[in-house]
Amino acid sequence: MRIDWRLIIGILLFILLLSLTVFFFYSFKEEHSIPPPSKNRYHFVMITRDTEENFWEKVLFGAETIGKSEGVALEYFGSRSADAKEFERYLEIAVLSRVDGILCSIPSGTSFQHLINEAYEKKIPFVALGKDTLSSNNLSFVGINSYNLGFKSGVALANTVKKETKVAVFINSSLADQSYDRYLYGFKRAIQDAQTIKVELIINSKGESISAEEQTQLLLKNYPEIEAIVCTDANDTLGVAKVVVDLNRVSKTTIIGSGLTSEIANYIELGVIEGVLAMDPFELGVQGMSALLRLKQNKSQKEKYYIPLFFVNKDNVKQFTNNYITVQ
Amino acid sequence: MKKRINQSIRIKLICSFLILSCIFALVNFFSYYTERTLLKRINALLTNNIKLKEYTSNVDNLVNSLEKYLVSRNFDMLREYLHYGQLIEATYPQLTIIEESIDNYLLLENIKNMSRFFLYEADKAVQAKRARNSEEYHQCFVEVVRYSVNIKWAIDRLIIKQLEENSRQYLQISNRLFYTQRLSLFLIISALIVGIVVAIWISFRLTDPLRKLAEAAEVVSTGDFSIEPLPVSTDDEIAVVTEAFNDMVASITRLFEEIKSQSNLEKRLKEQELQNLIMKNTLREAELHSLQSQINPHFLFNTLNAGVQLAIMEDAEKTSEFIDKVASLLRYSLRRIENPVTLREEANNVKTYFFILQTRYGPDRFKFSVNIQAEAAVCQIPLLTLQPLVENALIHGIENLESKGEIIVNAYCHEDRLLVEVFDNGQGMDEITLTRLQNNEKLPGHTTGLGLANVRERSRLFLGESCKMRIKSAPGKGTKITLDLPAVKEGGVGIEDLGC
């Protein structure tokens, strides 16, 4: 067999050239792969506490989706611990750096009013996300309408219980005074027609699961006649559900919660929790970012935007889980 | 013409070395590149970390010197503060990150922004101190401290994030290095195997045709040119040498054949020449005999004519006839030997000769008869062809015979051949004598000297190579000599025609 040496040389040279090209391409790519961020128009910061799994990731995703098209570089500070100091640090850095805008979910039980005021003084647009925890006039708010939450919780409870029922309400103590009142007002409006439901207790919760467990245990021990518990917070809902299971009172206690996590979804499927009121986190992100952009571009001064609430029960929990909990 | 070599050995060797070099170069390049990337990354990280830490320490030093200045209003401290201020002002815009993620970039932006305001607040504090506004410089200093804490915190966070990211990448690159090393090992082993295979293959491919060439050359050197042409399977210098060798063997064989055929031709020519010489010699011999016979012919003729006239005068008729016959025989033998005669003339001469012999030996001693076919009588034969045969028959055959000897001459044409037979009933010949005769050896005895060989050679000279002489004899049973000649009628050939 004759071998065409010229062909072999050609193939070898081709392989060599190809290899070199690939190498140089990759080295080039590795060294210059990040586009210069200076082309972004705004530097926004989003600060959250990851107390609810995946929820804030979905919010971040929603915010980023809008932000990208508007040339926003979104810096994300997500505290995984419940340490308020760390959260404060993030917020302080954002304020001191005079970023172009801040999206922030204010954690319960803490007060960052001075930082929010400082941001206002430094003309940093500020949008609070989630719950109406601060009674400040200096910021925009995107999140849940307390009255609506109370009203829908009441409706859900009234639809669920038929006989005479004594109910306990866990209200997150971090809610601003106005929000607190509005929530209760809404709730009571919803159940006022149902004569069978009677609000027996209103408990100020800390919005922490362990704390809620303790409070629930005490509650059920001291008030065994309580047959329904309504919560305003996801952590409270989870704590209550755990205690109800532990005390073997699943069939005796109706739980109407708030916020949807995978654990809560699991309890709903098992029938421990009757249902929860939840919002679309993606929508929260989208609306939050939109509000911040409007503030930055001076299209609005101060606004409140309420995200629609859905009642998630055994029938539709799977659909909601798939849509809202699964990380995209 | 120079043959174009498509795949020379040099190219083959260069290609082989090129293949191996390429593979090794590639392997080394892989390893080098990966290790270089790793080192570069680690180096960049450490350098960056040191820079950031230096920056942090400068921030601390500025805060310290500012505090001391605010407390003591010491100008040395102010200088120190200004020095660090300038240092930070010059440094912070050059702060960079190595892990270029958007988060790191934004964090760096925060650091730069905070640094700017940090310096601004510090300056404000100094101004306030100079203006002796204690409340303001105190507030400003609080802000400065706040900024410095946050700057340090952000730098620490940046370092940690970069370290985390770098550690992850380090692990990835380490993995890549591990696979690269595996790949390198594989490539080196492959290259070695390929190298060995190529080396063996090339050496076989180079040496095998050379070995065959050497064997063939050895065979040729012994003089054997009958080898098959060597096969040409490559397209390199060896192929050229092999083709040249094949051509050389073919050329030598052809030249050899040419020389051989030339030598055969020369041999044949020499034989021909020898034959011509023999013929010339025979001719000369006959001529000599003829000349010898012509010695003083007029004297002999005159003498014989005088004898004839004397016999007539003395009324001796027989003597007169005898002498006349002798004169006629002499006249015949003196004819020019190169001119052919007819068979009739030759027969008449033989008859004359016999008349003389009968006169000499007596009429009853021999019986002689001549039978010539009319067609044969006009055929031409060389002069003195028949007489030597008859003379031989007489001398060797019947001269010593007790009883009456007989010589019969028959001549006839058969197809295009003239057959002349001379038969005697004499003593015949034994085998040995017959063989000697057939081998052209001269026999002892008293003849005219024109032996059988002479007759045969002259016949061939006159009438061509187809002339044959057959002798049939046995002791006591007589001898029969047959001349087989081409039948050439009168006016046919002469010795001049042969160029003699």
Side-chain angles (χ1 to χ4, degrees):
Chain A
M1 189 187 74
R2 283 200 171 195
I3 292 176
D4 194 337
W5 290 90
R6 276 167 295 185
L7 187 73
I8 290 177
I9 293 172
I11 291 170
L12 278 172
L13 286 177
F14 177 73
I15 291 170
L16 199 68
L17 277 174
L18 196 73
S19 312
L20 287 174
T21 313
V22 168
F23 265 121
F24 282 116
F25 175 74
Y26 273 106
S27 60
F28 181 81
K29 199 181 164 190
E30 233 173 50
E31 283 167 18
H32 304 97
S33 55
I34 305 291
S38 54
K39 70 179 182 184
N40 291 312
R41 289 162 67 200
Y42 304 124
H43 174 187
F44 288 171
V45 176
M46 181 169 157
I47 308 166
T48 65
R49 278 178 72 191
D50 286 346
T51 47
E52 288 172 40
E53 50 163 338
N54 298 333
F55 181 84
W56 290 109
E57 284 179 32
K58 299 281 288 184
V59 178
L60 179 67
F61 181 65
E64 276 177 341
T65 307
I66 295 298
K68 258 181 203 165
S69 60
E70 293 288 336
V72 173
L74 186 62
E75 190 179 7
Y76 179 66
F77 287 122
S79 169
R80 292 193 179 276
S81 68
D83 184 12
K85 290 262 179 199
E86 198 181 343
F87 185 89
E88 191 182 348
R89 172 79 65 201
Y90 294 147
L91 192 55
E92 193 171 13
I93 285 174
V95 172
L96 290 182
S97 306
R98 300 191 191 198
V99 294
D100 296 323
I102 300 170
L103 272 172
C104 183
S105 76
I106 309 293
S108 57
T110 51
S111 173
F112 304 109
Q113 196 63 48
H114 66 286
L115 285 173
I116 293 164
N117 291 340
E118 192 178 342
Y120 180 74
E121 282 164 19
K122 289 176 176 168
K123 297 187 170 38
I124 301 171
F126 195 109
V127 173
L129 294 174
K131 286 177 189 128
D132 198 359
T133 53
L134 293 169
S135 50
S136 171
N137 293 322
N138 300 334
L139 48 84
S140 292
F141 170 77
V142 175
I144 296 167
N145 183 339
S146 303
Y147 173 82
N148 201 14
L149 180 65
F151 186 80
K152 285 203 170 178
S153 300
V155 169
L157 184 67
N159 288 341
T160 311
V161 292
K162 302 295 173 195
K163 57 174 185 171
E164 197 170 313
T165 305
K166 288 179 177 171
V167 60
V169 183
F170 276 72
I171 302 181
N172 195 322
S173 58
S174 68
L175 281 178
D177 295 341
Q178 290 170 346
S179 304
Y180 188 96
D181 294 339
R182 279 205 297 271
Y183 175 80
L184 269 181
Y185 179 63
F187 183 72
K188 285 177 179 168
R189 274 288 301 274
I191 60 169
Q192 69 182 5
D193 295 337
Q195 298 296 327
T196 52
I197 297 170
K198 187 185 174 195
V199 179
E200 189 76 10
L201 274 175
I202 296 168
I203 300 161
N204 287 335
S205 77
K206 292 178 182 172
E208 290 167 9
S209 182
I210 295 166
S211 163
E213 283 180 40
E214 191 188 342
Q215 285 176 317
T216 313
Q217 256 181 348
L218 277 172
L219 169 77
L220 294 176
K221 191 179 172 187
N222 297 332
Y223 301 92
E225 70 275 16
I226 298 288
E227 289 179 322
I229 299 172
V230 178
C231 303
T232 58
D233 185 274
N235 287 333
D236 288 345
T237 311
L238 206 58
V240 170
K242 280 177 185 169
V243 173
V244 166
V245 171
D246 284 348
L247 298 178
N248 201 18
R249 290 188 57 144
V250 174
S251 56
K252 294 176 192 165
T253 312
T254 304
I255 302 169
I256 302 291
S258 178
L260 186 65
T261 68
S262 61
E263 223 172 336
I264 290 173
N266 196 31
Y267 277 125
I268 292 171
E269 278 189 74
L270 291 170
V272 177
I273 296 170
E274 183 59 37
V276 292
L277 284 151
M279 61 178 160
D280 181 358
F282 183 81
E283 182 69 13
L284 182 64
V286 168
Q287 295 305 335
M289 177 58 80
S290 305
L292 192 57
L293 280 166
R294 282 195 293 274
L295 272 180
K296 180 68 193 170
Q297 292 158 358
N298 290 326
K299 289 177 183 167
S300 72
Q301 291 299 316
K302 195 182 78 172
E303 57 180 281
K304 285 191 190 299
Y305 185 91
Y306 297 118
I307 304 290
L309 278 170
F310 302 100
F311 183 65
V312 183
N313 59 14
K314 212 172 180 175
D315 301 330
N316 58 8
V317 69
K318 269 202 177 349
Q319 184 197 338
F320 273 89
T321 311
N322 289 339
N323 287 346
Y324 300 143
I325 291 179
T326 311
V327 182
Q328 290 197 5
Chain B
M1 191 182 76
K2 194 178 174 188
K3 186 184 184 297
R4 191 164 164 265
I5 301 163
N6 290 328
Q7 300 171 5
S8 79
I9 294 169
R10 198 188 307 158
I11 290 175
K12 284 179 188 174
L13 289 174
I14 288 171
C15 284
S16 313
F17 288 127
L18 202 67
I19 294 170
L20 291 179
S21 305
C22 283
I23 294 172
F24 279 112
L26 220 61
V27 169
N28 283 332
F29 193 73
F30 257 118
S31 303
Y32 166 75
Y33 181 77
T34 315
E35 279 165 21
R36 195 185 67 113
T37 312
L38 198 65
L39 280 175
K40 208 171 141 188
R41 197 169 282 276
I42 291 168
N43 193 31
L45 174 77
L46 293 178
T47 313
N48 193 257
N49 283 357
I50 287 167
K51 273 186 187 168
L52 289 171
K53 276 292 170 192
E54 273 176 4
Y55 186 77
T56 313
S57 127
N58 286 339
V59 168
D60 271 342
N61 289 335
L62 187 139
V63 172
N64 284 339
S65 53
L66 179 66
E67 187 180 15
K68 281 175 188 165
Y69 171 70
L70 293 178
V71 171
S72 64
R73 220 178 165 187
N74 186 329
F75 283 102
D76 287 341
M77 289 300 116
L78 182 63
R79 261 200 300 279
E80 201 174 304
Y81 157 77
L82 288 172
H83 164 72
Y84 286 117
Q86 282 169 353
L87 206 63
I88 290 169
E89 197 160 11
T91 319
Y92 85 82
Q94 265 110 50
L95 289 179
T96 51
I97 47 170
I98 51 160
E99 295 305 330
E100 288 189 350
S101 68
I102 193 82
D103 281 351
N104 287 352
Y105 173 80
L106 295 174
L107 193 57
L108 186 71
E109 281 293 298
N110 290 343
I111 292 167
K112 286 179 180 178
N113 287 339
M114 283 194 289
S115 298
R116 198 166 68 242
F117 293 113
F118 165 73
L119 290 174
Y120 172 74
E121 290 291 338
D123 270 354
K124 249 173 82 179
V126 171
Q127 297 297 330
K129 179 70 184 173
R130 280 177 178 165
R132 299 177 190 279
N133 188 344
S134 61
E135 197 185 338
E136 194 184 340
Y137 77 67
H138 180 255
Q139 203 167 349
C140 287
F141 183 70
V142 170
E143 278 297 298
V144 166
V145 172
R146 200 170 152 225
Y147 272 110
S148 78
V149 169
N150 281 297
I151 287 169
K152 282 191 282 179
W153 190 90
I155 284 176
D156 284 346
R157 186 179 159 88
L158 184 64
I159 288 172
I160 290 167
K161 277 180 84 174
Q162 289 200 140
L163 196 65
E164 274 175 7
E165 182 61 29
N166 227 281
S167 303
R168 200 165 51 245
Q169 288 195 0
Y170 174 79
L171 284 177
Q172 278 177 0
I173 295 170
S174 294
N175 277 340
R176 206 166 78 186
L177 192 66
F178 172 74
Y179 285 116
T180 308
Q181 281 168 347
R182 284 278 179 91
L183 185 70
S184 302
L185 197 69
F186 170 74
L187 282 175
I188 286 168
I189 292 169
S190 308
L192 274 176
I193 293 168
V194 168
I196 291 166
V197 169
V198 166
I200 292 171
W201 183 74
I202 284 181
S203 61
F204 264 91
R205 216 171 149 73
L206 287 182
T207 56
D208 204 45
L210 280 176
R211 190 178 52 74
K212 283 181 183 166
L213 200 62
E215 283 172 1
E218 209 169 326
V219 172
V220 167
S221 70
T222 60
D224 181 5
F225 291 95
S226 61
I227 54 162
E228 287 288 313
L230 292 173
V232 181
S233 55
T234 56
D235 197 4
D236 51 21
E237 289 86 345
I238 292 172
V240 176
V241 173
T242 310
E243 278 174 12
F245 179 80
N246 287 340
D247 292 347
M248 186 189 78
V249 170
S251 298
I252 289 173
T253 312
R254 198 179 61 249
L255 287 172
F256 203 69
E257 289 298 320
E258 278 176 13
I259 289 168
K260 219 168 160 181
S261 67
Q262 209 170 346
S263 138
N264 278 341
L265 199 66
E266 277 175 12
K267 200 176 164 189
R268 273 210 305 277
L269 277 171
K270 274 183 183 165
E271 277 176 8
Q272 189 74 40
E273 219 169 302
L274 194 68
Q275 197 77 24
N276 288 346
L277 278 173
I278 291 167
M279 283 179 188
K280 277 183 183 170
N281 199 28
T282 313
L283 271 175
R284 271 197 212 102
E285 202 179 322
E287 275 176 39
L288 192 66
H289 280 289
S290 169
L291 286 169
Q292 276 177 346
S293 309
Q294 287 171 14
I295 295 169
N296 217 353
H298 294 287
F299 172 73
L300 268 174
F301 273 126
N302 291 340
T303 309
L304 285 173
N305 281 336
V308 170
Q309 285 169 4
L310 195 62
I312 290 169
M313 278 190 291
E314 288 175 358
D315 292 330
E317 281 179 12
K318 280 189 179 177
T319 307
S320 161
E321 191 182 5
F322 177 74
I323 292 169
D324 190 40
K325 292 286 182 195
V326 169
S328 146
L329 189 69
L330 189 61
R331 197 180 300 117
Y332 188 80
S333 67
L334 287 176
R335 289 177 71 162
R336 287 189 69 82
I337 198 157
E338 60 266 26
N339 293 336
V341 295
T342 58
L343 187 58
R344 181 180 292 117
E345 287 172 313
E346 191 66 13
N348 288 339
N349 183 51
V350 170
K351 280 177 187 167
T352 310
Y353 174 67
F354 247 92
F355 175 79
I356 293 165
L357 286 181
Q358 274 180 333
T359 313
R360 185 176 153 195
Y361 292 103
D364 301 327
R365 183 77 183 272
F366 315 112
K367 192 182 172 190
F368 178 70
S369 60
V370 178
N371 308 307
I372 293 175
Q373 199 183 5
E375 192 186 351
V378 294
C379 286
Q380 288 191 322
I381 56 168
L383 184 74
L384 294 175
T385 303
L386 215 48
Q387 189 191 325
L389 301 181
V390 173
E391 205 174 344
N392 270 342
L394 180 75
I395 294 163
H396 300 295
I398 57 176
E399 194 171 31
N400 299 327
L401 213 61
E402 294 292 327
S403 60
K404 196 175 182 178
E406 189 175 9
I407 294 172
I408 304 164
V409 176
N410 293 323
Y412 58 91
C413 284
H414 178 70
E415 294 175 350
D416 58 343
R417 306 294 294 179
L418 170 67
L419 297 167
V420 180
E421 294 170 352
V422 178
F423 173 74
D424 70 81
N425 61 344
Q427 58 195 16
M429 284 176 277
D430 55 9
E431 283 286 326
I432 299 163
T433 317
L434 193 63
T435 313
R436 284 175 69 189
L437 258 182
Q438 279 167 345
N439 290 342
N440 292 343
E441 288 177 33
K442 233 174 183 177
L443 294 173
H446 177 72
T447 63
T448 50
L450 299 171
L452 291 179
N454 186 295
V455 171
R456 183 159 51 207
E457 290 307 319
R458 277 191 299 119
S459 303
R460 280 186 185 164
L461 197 60
F462 273 85
L463 300 164
E465 286 296 311
S466 64
C467 295
K468 287 170 196 159
M469 179 184 277
R470 289 189 290 271
I471 303 167
K472 207 174 167 187
S473 179
K477 290 188 175 174
T479 303
K480 183 183 176 186
I481 295 173
T482 309
L483 267 179
D484 183 354
L485 309 171
V488 181
K489 301 289 185 313
E490 208 164 355
V493 289
I495 191 91
E496 291 84 0
D497 297 334
L498 295 163
C500 296

